Amino acid sequence: MRKLLLGTTALAAAATLTANAALADISISGAHEFRYNSRSSNAAALDGTTFDTDGEVTFKFSNKTDSGLTIAHEVQLMSDGGDTAIDESFLTISGGFGKIMLGQDDGVGDNYGLAAVDLIAEETGTTATSATIATNSDIDGMSGNADKVAYHLPAMGGLTAGVSFADSGTNTGTDSTAYGFRYTTDAAGSSVTIGGASATTEVSGGTDKDSQNLGIKIVNGPLSFAMSQATEEAADENQEMMGAALSYNMGNGMIIGAYTVDGDDSLDAGEEYTSSGVEVQYTIASGLTAVVIVEDYEYKAPTTADANGTTTGDSGTNSRLVIKASF
């Protein structure tokens, strides 16, 4: 009798799990990158070659309610050796009113801000020794993947927009708020997208940290061009960055691109960062891509030490080969 009850219970549990699974759409995807980096730098500690990897597994669960709402949960798990932390984990509720996000995800500035270097597949902006200046013309996301609430308006024609808020906790006074929008339209046979974002992190008893971004992207057949401008202000920062990039889809799985970025900080006399590079992407097979990028950079340190003690400049060339796989 005991064995019969245990067996019946197990069957009931299995049936319940199967029924619940049938109600939800479940997907599992993954991505992995292997990078070879060769850097020629004036800073001995940065000169040389390195290997590194970046992997992530994403779990998505979604369900549509009888009332028409779509409820979804997404978890992004880092899958590198020694780095298996949960990167993002959040709940979304979507309907005719738009979408609400609750949990650990980027602020809306990352969704709507438009940086010129978004046209480039690989990360740009080689980090220089002791540099605190931004290395691209994008918004500073401020709150990262901290717990937050975000709201995205439903698309209205070519316009989308959103707002997010991250509460830093009790007795901290460093809450972060971000706003953003994008507008896409057709003009003279081209697709034109304008994007902008603004983010602020409060500083209790001090100067708040503010960041803004505005960019435009034009796509005409295989040719894409983008320009962007960004600013960042804080207690010891008054940065302004400009960027431009273009890419051309040559067909047969090959895309070539080029970019240039320039930034300076008016509060730290003489501090400036410039970078320019070229890139080739090649699709080897479905889900498998190789990227080669070569960039020249120069970081001019402040003429006098800033609040971060930055006094050392750097310049050089950085080359990367990246193998990307998606599943």
Side-chain angles (χ1 to χ4, degrees):
M1 184 67 174
R2 175 181 172 81
K3 290 183 179 179
L4 178 61
L5 287 174
L6 289 173
T8 304
T9 302
L11 288 172
T16 301
L17 288 172
T18 302
N20 288 337
L23 294 174
D25 291 325
I26 303 173
S27 68
I28 301 175
S29 60
H32 186 84
E33 295 185 6
F34 178 85
R35 306 186 187 103
Y36 167 74
N37 196 86
S38 177
R39 181 167 176 175
S40 173
S41 170
N42 291 334
L46 301 175
D47 192 80
T49 60
T50 58
F51 286 151
D52 71 275
T53 60
D54 185 16
E56 188 172 77
V57 178
T58 301
F59 304 87
K60 294 183 179 179
F61 307 83
S62 65
N63 186 25
K64 193 158 188 174
T65 68
D66 293 337
S67 60
L69 294 177
T70 298
I71 303 172
H73 174 48
E74 181 171 327
V75 178
Q76 297 180 11
L77 177 67
M78 305 302 293
S79 58
D80 300 329
D83 182 9
T84 57
I86 292 178
D87 184 31
E88 296 177 348
S89 177
F90 54 90
L91 167 72
T92 59
I93 304 170
S94 307
F97 60 87
K99 182 172 73 173
I100 297 172
M101 187 287 299
L102 305 169
Q104 299 170 352
D105 195 12
D106 299 319
V108 300
D110 294 296
N111 298 108
Y112 298 101
L114 198 161
V117 294
D118 290 343
L119 292 182
I120 305 301
E122 247 315 282
E123 296 178 2
T124 62
T126 301
T127 302
T129 303
S130 304
T132 58
I133 195 167
T135 58
N136 56 45
S137 53
D138 202 354
I139 190 171
D140 184 333
M142 301 288 184
S143 58
N145 291 326
D147 281 312
K148 60 176 60 68
V149 57
Y151 171 63
H152 301 265
L153 287 167
M156 295 172 285
L159 177 67
T160 56
V163 58
S164 62
F165 174 75
D167 190 326
S168 61
T170 58
N171 298 320
T172 57
T174 56
D175 298 342
S176 295
T177 305
Y179 306 88
F181 79 95
R182 282 200 181 185
Y183 178 70
T184 300
T185 187
D186 293 327
S190 300
S191 174
V192 180
T193 300
I194 300 173
S198 177
T200 298
T201 294
E202 300 173 2
V203 177
S204 180
T207 303
D208 292 346
K209 183 177 181 180
D210 298 305
S211 181
Q212 289 83 36
N213 161 269
L214 184 64
I216 182 170
K217 180 175 71 173
I218 302 172
V219 179
N220 189 314
L223 180 65
S224 299
F225 173 75
M227 293 183 64
S228 61
Q229 185 262 354
T231 60
E232 185 171 314
E233 299 177 357
D236 186 50
E237 304 291 344
N238 188 14
Q239 300 182 24
E240 183 171 352
M241 294 143 279
M242 298 290 294
L246 59 85
S247 67
Y248 187 83
N249 191 332
M250 301 182 67
N252 298 319
M254 182 175 291
I255 300 174
I256 59 174
Y259 81 94
T260 182
V261 174
D262 181 88
D264 63 74
D265 187 345
S266 61
L267 291 185
D268 294 324
E271 187 173 31
E272 183 179 1
Y273 179 88
T274 57
S275 176
S276 59
V278 294
E279 175 188 82
V280 177
Q281 305 175 48
Y282 180 69
T283 301
I284 302 170
S286 178
L288 183 63
T289 303
V291 180
V292 176
I293 183 170
V294 179
E295 55 187 358
D296 289 322
Y297 69 95
E298 181 178 16
Y299 171 64
K300 297 178 181 178
T303 52
T304 57
D306 62 9
N308 301 293
T310 304
T311 58
T312 304
D314 183 23
S315 63
T317 301
N318 201 32
S319 304
R320 291 193 298 279
L321 167 64
V322 185
I323 304 298
K324 301 185 176 192
S326 58
F327 308 90

